[in-house]
């Protein structure tokens, strides 16, 4: 399997669904390739067809916002506790 034109239709569909890891796994099973070989074939397909395979945008990290929200809610709960018990 030297070219990306040899890719099975289900591997191509998996790539178009933006599931690269699953496409590599399917290619390995279907053609008995090693991990590096399958990854290289999939990467060459993606490089040759960038318009067909969308790249995922990285998730934003909301960790800081969540921490501030937890602290604010905790402070409100503590303040309410102090107000009603003391």
């Amino acid at each position: 399997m030297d070219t990306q034109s040899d890719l099975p239709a289900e591997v191509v569909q998996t790539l178009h669904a933006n599931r690269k890891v699953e496409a590599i796994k399917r290619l390995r099973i279907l053609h008995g390739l090693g991990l590096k070989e399958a990854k290289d074939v999939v990467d060459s397909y993606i490089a040759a067809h960038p318009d067909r395979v969308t790249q995922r945008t990285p998730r934003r990290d909301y960790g800081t916002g969540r921490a501030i929200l937890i602290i604010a809610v905790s402070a409100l709960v503590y303040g309410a506790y102090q107000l009603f018990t003391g």
Side-chain angles (χ1 to χ4, degrees):
M1 167 168 278
D2 293 331
T3 65
Q4 66 269 10
S5 62
D6 296 338
L7 284 178
E10 67 181 273
V11 174
V12 172
Q13 289 173 345
T14 304
L15 278 174
H16 290 205
N18 205 10
R19 297 192 313 256
K20 180 179 175 182
V21 174
E22 186 178 335
I24 293 170
K25 288 179 183 178
R26 287 180 187 238
L27 187 60
R28 291 186 68 200
I29 291 168
L30 293 172
H31 286 275
L33 298 175
L35 178 60
K36 179 160 177 28
E37 294 170 301
K39 182 183 179 303
D40 289 344
V41 171
V42 167
D43 285 342
S44 67
Y45 179 86
I46 292 171
H49 303 93
D51 55 326
R52 295 184 188 173
V53 181
T54 58
Q55 298 296 322
R56 289 187 180 179
T57 56
R59 288 185 177 178
R60 293 189 203 172
D61 182 19
Y62 293 108
T64 305
R66 288 182 184 157
I68 292 171
L69 179 64
I70 289 170
I71 291 169
V73 169
S74 299
L76 286 172
V77 169
Y78 180 74
Y81 173 78
Q82 291 296 323
L83 181 67
F84 292 114
T85 61

